[in-house]
Amino acid sequence: MLDDIDPFIGTAATDLPRAHGLAATWWWPKPQVGNTHPGATSPLGMVSACAYSGAYPTGYGRYAKNTEGVPEEMFDRLQASGFTHFQQSGTGAIRKYYNYVRVTPMVQPLDALGESWELHDEVAEAGYYAATLDTGVRCEITVGAKTAVHRYTFPEHRSARVVIDMSCGGLAIDLGRTVPLRAQVESMGYGRAHGTVVMEGVPLSVYVEADTPNWRQMLWYDRRLIDGGTRLDFDSIRSTNLRPFGMLFMGSARPGQVVEIRMGFSLRGHEQAKRNLERECGTGEPAFNMVRSRTRARWRDHVGRVQVEGGTKARRTVFSTALYHALIKPCVADDESPFWPNSGPYAFDVCTMWDIYKTQLPLLAAIAPDRFTDILESLIRVCEEEGNFPIGYRMARGADRFFRQASALAHTALADAHALGRPGIDWSWALVHMVDDLRRMYGEDFFEHGRVHPITHTLDLAYGHHCTARVARSLNDRRLADDLERRGRQWVNAFDPDTGLLRDSEFYEGGKWNYSFRLVQDMAARIDLAGGDSAFVGMLDRFFGYGADPVKQPGQRPQQAEMAAGYALNRFEGLNNEPDMEAPWSYHWAGRPDRTAEIVHAALTWQFGTGHGGLPGNDDSGGLSSWYVWASLGLFPVAGQNLFLINAPAFGRAVLQAGDGEFVIETSGHRETPIGVDGLDRDPPAQYVQSATLNGEPLHTTHLSAADVHRGGRLHLRLGPEPSSWGQGLRPPSLS
């Protein structure tokens, strides 16, 4: 699995084979690029490190900011002005950006700092990134959870240098720059230095050790060396008076000379940054190979918690890389919160909950349960300290960001964790915050009127009430549970009974069709509202493009009329965006799991591929990649309902290490199918479940409880090329 990972997947504009069949009818309104980066990362770690060009949105690559269609290029070549830390992974427009502490190896004068050089011979693997600059310097980077180690191999030069720019942050796009507020840098000699810079209200500290024998170390300001200076202090920096500043190490380099720079990071001061460095890198010795090996071992452990057998090489590469991308974010940094003094986990880069709550958080609950609990504990603490469960949470303070996207999403993950009996959370205290959060923001109007606009927030809040009611009832607060359940049933207020769709409203990144097939807590009542099974299936068939003509995807700078015509299709977004990613499984409640099978198979065949352009849209911190992992395993989590839905897997056999158990998905009748290839001249895929057993007993339903999966067991699926009657009679549970 580890050797199949390709971190370059998703780093360039979508470049997939032209889809055939059902997938050709899906329309992509959002940017056609994965927005990932190939930099060095550690599983759910605090630090990432990658070549920095200033491009959108990670700092790596060539692209300008875009919100729809094919991204435009900022640069005509792949280039870098240095290597930065704390990149996002797969996000879209999150408005603020990191890329702090730029490290630049140079053989030019300091005046050239900030120039970019072409990148050659890139190599990336889990925990490691390397490239050669036009200047001839070979650059290698690896990271630990809170550290980064740079290794530079210089050509012969009488004045080589490694420059650390503490003032750098953000992107080279309009409004993408981050300006520090305060800073302090100190050189202690003997290859040691430290600094702290306050970015977006957050004090980021770094402690540096440099193996640069006989090189000088100096501070610099405005690209001028400060000879003999040992400390810089800036008390009030503004965009109008900001000048670059930092530290450097310089001297003559013999051919092939290797320089190692070790960096420990902390949000709680340079002393803790030093302790972090010593914990992961030791003291005073070259550490690159050791850190790289340990991080690779951590990656091997994490991705090894899901094993698949069979599949083509391309399918294994896409699957392994999806699992890798799903384990980069959120960042979980123990004892690092700059905002409260207590120890405990601090999770950031939750960017954002509406991207990850349906797919990625259930995946972490299964294969990284301790870190999943840490994330929830951190979210509870954010709510306690800042007044909201965040929809998105970054290193910068402010839990109310992204509130337009959705409401009450943390409640789904909390309800699932409680149903699974996850230890380490004070559930009585968690319930207090879950209830209080339901009354904030859009929740105030929902409490008074039972409906809010944008209408999708009505669905969110009703579902949040349902999830919270489950926790309250299990804690024997029956009066509270009854009230929450009553308000949870107000999801019906979001729908127009005359159309069976959501009421007209404003919609965030989608339309009412994209949101109308969400998996609510009472799908039986939802289907009745649409007119019954036949009418509901007819609506879904139209939405997914059955019988429709192929569509043309937006190109660069799509015109407003083109986008309006695309939205008017009222069509599935084809994994290009998140709003309707669970919609294929709506068919299960209408007794048509065969339709789910066809859509999932089409998506796995045509919407994902190898190569830099292998993703259909923004990976969004791993939310999209987690969808791919679940769909390939033949399971889909229904967040907040302690439920998994079953579909035909993409591999003949898979083993999921869920908690302490081992859940095996095995098949008979499975046929290997390539990705991105028209199957008309091949045997039809075995995409339909004919029958199933769980632990040897017949399974006639299309669902499992999450407890079934997490305790371990064996699911056997007999597959075939034609639809069957399996799953048509017994539907997944609904409240009614």
Side-chain angles (χ1 to χ4, degrees):
M1 294 286 290
L2 188 67
D3 293 333
D4 290 325
I5 293 171
D6 179 6
F8 288 106
I9 288 179
T11 60
T14 300
D15 184 18
L16 297 167
R18 185 175 180 180
H20 291 192
L22 196 61
T25 71
W26 302 338
W27 186 71
W28 303 345
K30 298 301 292 179
Q32 297 168 38
V33 59
N35 280 350
T36 57
H37 69 79
T41 62
S42 179
L44 304 174
M46 177 179 174
V47 178
S48 61
C50 195
Y52 176 77
S53 65
Y56 178 87
T58 65
Y60 170 84
R62 298 188 294 175
Y63 296 117
K65 183 175 180 178
N66 76 310
T67 58
E68 56 192 21
V70 177
E72 297 182 68
E73 295 181 355
M74 290 179 65
F75 316 112
D76 59 4
R77 62 179 187 175
L78 194 60
Q79 62 186 43
S81 63
F83 302 87
T84 57
H85 309 82
F86 309 101
Q87 283 82 4
Q88 296 292 327
S89 179
T91 57
I94 60 168
R95 297 197 179 120
K96 295 290 184 179
Y97 307 89
Y98 301 155
N99 297 295
Y100 301 151
V101 190
R102 182 179 60 190
V103 181
T104 306
M106 300 178 67
V107 291
Q108 295 88 357
L110 191 57
D111 284 337
L113 183 67
E115 293 182 8
S116 291
W117 300 280
E118 190 168 355
L119 287 173
H120 304 278
D121 302 322
E122 283 187 294
V123 175
E125 61 186 46
Y128 174 82
Y129 173 82
T132 300
L133 298 177
D134 249 0
T135 57
V137 182
R138 183 61 176 173
C139 311
E140 300 173 275
I141 310 173
T142 190
V143 299
K146 300 181 182 180
T147 60
V149 185
H150 298 238
R151 185 165 66 188
Y152 300 115
T153 303
F154 281 88
E156 182 176 14
H157 202 277
R158 62 183 178 83
S159 184
R161 64 199 74 200
V162 176
V163 183
I164 302 176
D165 188 343
M166 293 290 293
S167 70
C168 183
L171 302 176
I173 62 172
D174 291 341
L175 306 179
R177 189 183 192 191
T178 302
V179 177
L181 303 176
R182 295 180 299 279
Q184 171 266 316
V185 186
E186 184 172 358
S187 174
M188 297 172 290
Y190 305 100
R192 306 293 184 269
H194 66 77
T196 298
V197 59
V198 179
M199 294 275 198
E200 299 182 61
V202 177
L204 173 65
S205 296
V206 59
Y207 186 88
V208 180
E209 292 181 351
D211 280 344
T212 51
N214 302 317
W215 282 24
R216 300 172 65 194
Q217 69 180 76
M218 303 178 70
L219 301 181
W220 58 274
Y221 173 72
D222 198 15
R223 297 181 177 81
R224 294 293 178 266
L225 299 176
I226 304 175
D227 202 6
T230 60
R231 185 179 174 102
L232 290 172
D233 286 279
F234 304 93
D235 294 327
S236 182
I237 303 174
R238 298 176 177 83
S239 58
T240 54
N241 65 10
L242 174 64
R243 301 291 184 273
F245 59 87
M247 59 191 85
L248 63 76
F249 305 88
M250 61 183 294
S252 61
R254 60 184 182 276
Q257 180 170 345
V258 175
V259 170
E260 181 174 289
I261 307 294
R262 298 181 291 275
M263 310 175 77
F265 296 94
S266 177
L267 306 179
R268 289 188 169 180
H270 61 81
E271 288 296 333
Q272 183 153 317
K274 179 181 179 182
R275 290 193 295 271
N276 292 340
L277 181 65
E278 292 173 347
R279 185 182 305 112
E280 296 191 30
C281 298
T283 54
E285 297 292 333
F288 190 96
N289 291 335
M290 177 187 69
V291 171
R292 179 183 178 184
S293 177
R294 288 179 177 176
T295 299
R296 185 171 176 82
R298 283 197 297 274
W299 274 116
R300 186 181 301 278
D301 171 57
H302 279 71
V303 300
R305 297 172 192 178
V306 184
Q307 294 287 333
V308 295
E309 296 179 12
T312 63
K313 178 176 176 54
R315 192 180 290 277
R316 290 195 303 273
T317 294
V318 175
F319 180 86
S320 300
T321 306
L323 185 58
Y324 164 78
H325 281 146
L327 289 164
I328 293 176
K329 303 289 184 177
C331 301
V332 186
D334 295 320
D335 306 328
E336 288 292 349
S337 171
F339 307 128
W340 53 82
N342 306 52
S343 61
Y346 176 60
F348 59 93
D349 280 5
V350 184
C351 294
T352 61
M353 285 293 290
W354 95 311
D355 297 309
I356 68 175
Y357 82 103
K358 300 173 187 176
T359 56
Q360 186 182 20
L361 291 185
L363 183 62
L364 296 182
I367 66 175
D370 291 340
R371 273 318 195 197
F372 171 69
T373 302
D374 288 343
I375 292 168
L376 297 186
E377 182 65 30
S378 180
L379 294 179
I380 292 169
R381 190 58 185 272
V382 169
C383 187
E384 177 183 336
E385 296 287 339
E386 302 192 30
N388 297 81
F389 275 121
I391 299 301
Y393 196 76
R394 298 179 51 257
M395 192 189 295
R397 190 166 190 164
D400 62 341
R401 289 196 176 101
F402 314 106
F403 70 91
R404 290 179 57 244
Q405 287 187 338
S407 298
L409 301 184
H411 299 64
T412 61
L414 287 163
D416 281 341
H418 185 269
L420 290 168
R422 290 298 310 161
I425 294 177
D426 182 340
W427 286 107
S428 294
W429 189 230
L431 179 60
V432 169
H433 292 299
M434 292 173 75
V435 173
D436 287 348
D437 186 73
L438 291 171
R439 306 288 178 87
R440 298 178 179 129
M441 306 298 289
Y442 291 100
E444 296 177 4
D445 285 342
F446 182 83
F447 182 77
E448 292 185 11
H449 307 297
R451 183 197 303 169
V452 293
H453 288 272
I455 203 69
T456 53
H457 290 262
T458 299
L459 295 181
D460 293 336
L461 287 161
Y463 201 64
H465 279 77
H466 164 73
C467 291
T468 307
R470 291 175 52 198
V471 177
R473 193 165 302 283
S474 68
L475 297 177
N476 294 316
D477 195 335
R478 295 170 183 166
R479 183 176 178 179
L480 174 61
D482 288 345
D483 179 66
L484 291 167
E485 285 181 355
R486 178 177 61 84
R487 297 185 188 281
R489 287 191 288 271
Q490 294 179 126
W491 63 267
V492 298
N493 297 341
F495 286 90
D496 182 346
D498 293 332
T499 65
L501 299 170
L502 288 173
R503 297 181 184 276
D504 291 334
S505 183
E506 295 179 356
F507 292 90
Y508 190 93
E509 295 191 359
K512 67 180 179 181
W513 281 77
N514 301 107
Y515 287 95
S516 284
F517 303 110
R518 288 176 56 173
L519 304 182
V520 299
Q521 65 268 31
D522 195 347
M523 286 298 292
R526 165 72 184 96
I527 292 173
D528 286 344
L529 185 148
D533 287 349
S534 179
F536 187 67
V537 169
M539 294 166 66
L540 284 171
D541 285 353
R542 175 188 167 187
F543 176 62
F544 283 107
Y546 280 92
D549 294 329
V551 301
K552 179 183 177 182
Q553 305 300 346
Q556 280 193 354
R557 299 185 183 181
Q559 297 297 310
Q560 185 176 355
E562 178 186 0
M563 296 302 294
Y567 279 114
L569 293 170
N570 298 319
R571 193 66 51 79
F572 180 52
E573 293 185 356
L575 285 307
N576 173 251
N577 201 20
E578 289 73 28
D580 49 18
M581 62 176 6
E582 81 271 43
W585 283 268
S586 294
Y587 282 108
H588 273 50
W589 276 271
R592 293 299 305 272
D594 57 307
R595 285 294 206 226
T596 302
E598 292 161 2
I599 294 160
V600 171
H601 179 79
L604 294 178
T605 300
W606 297 108
Q607 301 293 92
F608 299 84
T610 57
H612 293 48
L615 289 179
N618 295 172
D619 193 46
D620 285 314
S621 292
L624 173 60
S625 285
S626 298
W627 185 98
Y628 186 90
V629 171
W630 285 123
S632 297
L633 293 177
L635 298 172
F636 188 79
V638 185
Q641 295 191 43
N642 192 35
L643 191 66
F644 280 91
L645 305 177
I646 301 170
N647 61 272
F651 295 93
R653 188 175 187 272
V655 180
L656 176 70
Q657 297 290 339
D660 297 326
E662 182 178 271
F663 192 77
V664 179
I665 304 114
E666 59 186 16
T667 66
S668 55
H670 174 78
R671 294 176 182 173
E672 298 292 356
T673 56
I675 58 176
V677 176
D678 187 357
L680 293 178
D681 58 346
R682 299 173 177 269
D683 291 333
Q687 60 183 330
Y688 303 103
V689 177
Q690 308 294 303
S691 63
T693 62
L694 179 64
N695 300 324
E697 297 295 325
L699 180 68
H700 301 295
T701 63
T702 58
H703 68 276
L704 302 169
S705 74
D708 289 333
V709 175
H710 281 251
R711 74 168 61 98
R714 187 175 299 272
L715 175 67
H716 184 93
L717 302 173
R718 185 170 65 87
L719 307 179
E722 299 293 337
S724 73
S725 61
W726 178 81
Q728 291 184 4
L730 296 176
R731 314 292 171 85
S734 290
L735 284 185
S736 60

